[in-house]
Amino acid sequence: MSGRLIVVPTPVGNLDDMTFRAINALKEADLILAEDTRTSGVLMKHFGITVPMESHHKFNEHDRVASVADRIEGGLNVALVSDAGTPGISDPGFMLSRECRRRGLTVECLPGATAFVPALVASGLPCDRFVFEGFLPPKKGRATRLSALAADPRTVVIYESPKRLGRTLRQLSEYFGPDRPAAVAREISKLHETVYRDTIGALAEYFAVNQAKGEIVIVICGTDNAVRNSSSDAYTRRDEESDED
């Protein structure tokens, strides 16, 4: 009898966001695949999970997919986690899930944490229709993607690293226009969670002189709502400034 692949979301910050179902799934698995076993080891120790772990990250995913699927086909129940959030969402996991589906194996994905949903809702921008872009192409195709996204009527959600935030905001200001309403969310669900809300131009200026820390989510108003939101008195620089620094 074949085993199954269980995709298990883990907290993006606060460990209390871990669900009972996720904890039980990890405890009952035969093997846990982790993006970084050291990072996931902290989580496992916190919840008393002693299941064996192996690494499964973007650098070895191509080579490991077939062998892991073979083991699942042979009856192993494998849980997949990333460092934070839901595997497959800008993290390794898609290729293994696809291979298991191709072989007719059971793939179960638990509901749970992901950074872009709370960032989108907390931004104050329309979230009835949105496009999740993940990380922008670093070079090739970047300008083409920015041009397309700038014309999209839906709210746009982008992941970015703190080191590249200033450059990206400058480019967004160029392509979307400096007056487009936007938000920059950092450290979602963590102690120093902060949501900065303003126009893209103002945010670009702010982060040109203020170094961001932690994981970043950028939310940008779509063309359908840009005019209405740009005139809103409720759209302010930030919800709450962290005293972290």
Side-chain angles (χ1 to χ4, degrees):
M1 182 177 179
S2 298
R4 59 180 176 153
L5 173 67
I6 311 106
V7 181
V8 182
T10 56
V12 296
N14 194 321
L15 293 183
D16 287 343
D17 292 336
M18 192 73 170
T19 68
F20 292 118
R21 186 180 174 196
I23 294 170
N24 289 334
L26 292 174
K27 286 183 175 181
E28 294 169 3
D30 299 310
L31 173 68
I32 296 172
L33 297 181
E35 185 177 5
D36 187 323
T37 55
R38 294 166 298 181
T39 299
S40 295
V42 175
L43 181 75
M44 304 307 161
K45 182 178 180 181
H46 181 81
F47 290 108
I49 299 167
T50 58
V51 175
M53 283 194 296
E54 295 180 4
S55 63
H56 187 86
H57 47 71
K58 65 180 181 180
F59 300 108
N60 70 3
E61 188 176 20
H62 284 274
D63 297 331
R64 298 210 60 198
V65 163
S67 63
V68 172
D70 287 343
R71 294 160 79 180
I72 295 172
E73 200 165 19
L76 207 67
N77 290 315
V78 176
L80 175 67
V81 299
S82 59
D83 288 348
T86 302
I89 304 296
S90 296
D91 278 326
F94 163 70
M95 286 189 289
L96 179 57
S97 176
R98 179 181 60 183
E99 178 62 17
C100 288
R101 285 296 188 189
R102 189 187 70 79
R103 298 190 187 197
L105 302 173
T106 298
V107 177
E108 180 182 358
C109 182
L110 276 56
T114 190
F116 77 82
V117 173
L120 172 62
V121 175
S123 72
L125 293 170
C127 50
D128 54 334
R129 297 173 64 236
F130 65 92
V131 54
F132 173 66
E133 185 65 19
F135 289 95
L136 291 168
K139 294 181 180 179
K140 185 178 180 181
R142 187 179 179 92
T144 301
R145 289 304 306 144
L146 285 169
S147 295
L149 291 170
D152 201 301
R154 300 166 293 179
T155 300
V156 177
V157 183
I158 296 170
Y159 282 169
E160 190 50 280
S161 76
K163 291 182 179 180
R164 296 192 298 262
L165 178 61
R167 169 178 174 260
T168 295
L169 287 172
R170 289 193 300 273
Q171 290 182 322
L172 291 172
S173 180
E174 176 185 346
Y175 282 88
F176 286 72
D179 296 328
R180 185 79 70 92
V184 173
R186 59 180 288 272
E187 297 287 77
I188 291 294
S189 89
K190 296 180 182 178
L191 178 62
H192 300 290
E193 175 179 339
T194 314
V195 181
Y196 302 83
R197 303 187 295 173
D198 211 315
T199 62
I200 296 178
L203 289 169
E205 291 179 5
Y206 180 79
F207 285 104
V209 295
N210 294 276
Q211 178 64 45
K213 293 183 180 180
E215 298 300 317
I216 303 293
V217 184
I218 305 171
V219 185
I220 311 159
C221 193
T223 55
D224 277 1
N225 297 285
V227 175
R228 175 167 61 84
N229 279 276
S230 63
S231 61
S232 171
D233 292 334
Y235 222 75
T236 54
R237 165 56 59 88
R238 53 188 176 270
D239 288 337
E240 180 180 339
E241 183 62 76
S242 166
D243 60 357
E244 176 184 10
D245 303 323

